[in-house]
Amino acid sequence: MTVNTCREIYRHICENLDEDLSSPRCRQIRKHVDACPDCRAYLDSLKKTVALYRELPAPELTRSAHAELLETIRLEFSAVESKKTRRGGPKRTP
Amino acid sequence: MSISDLAKASDKSLIQAARKGDQKAFAALVRRYEDTVFKFSFKVCRERAKAEETLQDTFINVFRKLDTFDGKSKFSTWLYTIVSNNCLMKRRRRKRDDLEESLETFDNPPDGGPQSRQQPAPWEKTPDEVLLDKELQTLLDRAILKLPVDYRLVFVLRDVEGRSTQETASILKISEEATKSRLRRARAFLRDQLHPYMAAQGA
């Protein structure tokens, strides 16, 4: 394997991982990766990096955060309503 | 709209109703997307309190900008743009430029290809086998937090949320080329951060 090929492979596998492998260039890359243990190990480690972040758990939204959000929205609607009322002006009695 | 109508209604009709002042319609939109927004912001900022704050700010922005949503893109795309902007605004003012400069080195590995950056010790274990480890979770959090937020956003949108390059570029209002370049650098940076731990696991 030439240094240049590995450099090119590095850039390509970082960018595409295993996407769009049908083009002639991608087939060439795949052929290189299959034959080069270093590039294969590198590609595998990149894929595992992505998989780890994908599987890293995120917490659930709490009921209190949900309730707080709905209250914020209620206040936003009230603010718009009271603005509209103010624009309409106070009703005058004769 | 009745409660069952609200649950079945399209995003578009909920938006139309909310524009006319229907608070229940807007609350239905909130219920539909609050988990998505909260989890996405958590994945970017890795902190519950910040993610909750981003959630609040995002829906306030959505409410205030509802009239500007033109319906040309999906509501979810527009929502991701707003939450991403909020994540960007909350970024810590820090040595950002230094790291950004060092990330450029991930475009051009030193002579010798990928193997010369770090020894190619393979990662023997699968993510499932190691993910229960608290130490690894801390490492993953620390590594992603070292990335500038604009890189983190691209990585989370593309690789974690599974959005396409085109949609990610559209959400972040950057070119597809910039999206690809940030993703490439982010992947390589994170991989290198995890490498000592993961390679040792396989030993």
Side-chain angles (χ1 to χ4, degrees):
Chain A
M1 280 317 136
T2 64
V3 166
N4 277 345
T5 312
C6 277
R7 281 176 70 105
E8 197 193 323
I9 299 298
Y10 168 86
R11 207 181 158 95
H12 187 89
I13 60 182
C14 283
E15 189 167 306
N16 296 297
L17 294 185
D18 53 353
E19 300 155 21
D20 185 31
L21 287 170
S22 55
S23 73
R25 185 164 176 263
C26 283
R27 279 204 300 272
Q28 219 177 350
I29 301 274
R30 170 59 65 195
K31 208 172 153 190
H32 171 97
V33 170
D34 286 346
C36 176
D38 289 344
C39 284
R40 204 166 53 242
Y42 191 76
L43 174 61
D44 180 63
S45 63
L46 275 177
K47 284 185 184 174
K48 282 180 179 164
T49 299
V50 170
L52 281 167
Y53 279 102
R54 224 174 255 169
E55 289 168 29
L56 191 60
E60 294 298 319
L61 182 65
T62 59
R63 282 185 179 188
S64 64
H66 165 76
E68 199 183 326
L69 177 58
L70 289 183
E71 177 59 13
T72 303
I73 297 307
R74 193 190 65 75
L75 292 173
E76 284 286 318
F77 269 90
S78 304
V80 170
E81 279 308 307
S82 57
K83 232 184 229 176
K84 277 184 193 165
T85 313
R86 275 205 303 275
R87 259 189 231 138
K91 282 179 188 168
R92 293 185 183 197
T93 44
Chain B
M1 274 193 244
S2 70
I3 291 173
S4 69
D5 286 344
L6 285 169
K8 282 186 237 157
S10 67
D11 290 348
K12 204 176 164 187
S13 53
L14 290 177
I15 291 164
Q16 278 169 350
R19 277 176 179 159
K20 288 177 192 157
D22 186 339
Q23 193 176 326
K24 282 183 181 161
F26 192 80
L29 265 182
V30 169
R31 284 195 181 89
R32 193 171 286 179
Y33 287 103
E34 63 186 348
D35 271 332
T36 306
V37 172
F38 173 71
K39 286 189 174 157
F40 174 71
S41 40
F42 181 84
K43 286 170 193 172
V44 174
C45 67
R46 312 299 315 165
E47 213 181 288
R48 180 189 278 280
K50 273 191 189 169
E52 286 178 355
E53 200 184 313
T54 305
L55 172 72
Q56 293 265 340
D57 293 348
T58 298
F59 278 105
I60 290 173
N61 292 153
V62 169
F63 177 74
R64 292 180 184 171
K65 293 178 177 176
L66 211 50
D67 285 336
T68 68
F69 176 63
D70 57 14
K72 282 179 191 161
S73 60
K74 282 189 289 183
F75 175 70
S76 62
T77 302
W78 188 64
L79 189 60
Y80 271 112
T81 301
I82 294 176
V83 64
S84 298
N85 281 338
N86 279 314
C87 289
L88 278 166
M89 282 177 3
K90 283 188 176 52
R91 71 180 153 199
R92 280 181 289 168
R93 313 240 172 259
R94 63 190 179 102
K95 306 174 259 176
R96 188 172 167 275
D97 294 341
D98 294 349
L99 183 57
E100 192 137 14
E101 198 174 299
S102 71
L103 277 170
E104 284 172 15
T105 64
F106 286 88
D107 278 346
N108 295 301
D111 283 348
Q115 67 272 32
S116 68
R117 182 181 290 288
Q118 280 173 344
Q119 288 306 303
W123 293 13
E124 301 288 0
K125 292 196 173 174
T126 64
D128 281 349
E129 286 169 330
V130 290
L131 207 57
L132 292 173
D133 190 335
K134 192 76 193 154
E135 190 186 347
L136 177 61
Q137 292 199 12
T138 307
L139 181 63
L140 288 164
D141 281 349
R142 283 193 187 147
I144 199 167
L145 287 172
K146 284 183 190 168
L147 278 174
V149 183
D150 35 10
Y151 284 75
R152 249 185 274 163
L153 285 167
V154 170
F155 178 75
V156 173
L157 282 166
R158 282 286 290 112
D159 279 346
V160 183
E161 302 282 287
R163 301 278 150 175
S164 68
T165 301
Q166 195 185 18
E167 191 178 4
T168 303
S170 160
I171 287 168
L172 300 176
K173 303 195 189 308
I174 57 175
S175 68
E176 290 189 26
E177 273 316 300
T179 305
K180 284 180 186 175
S181 131
R182 285 183 199 176
L183 182 64
R184 186 173 64 233
R185 292 172 187 172
R187 282 171 172 170
F189 174 81
L190 293 172
R191 181 263 173 207
D192 276 16
Q193 292 287 308
L194 306 184
H195 182 69
Y197 180 90
M198 290 299 285
Q201 292 292 306

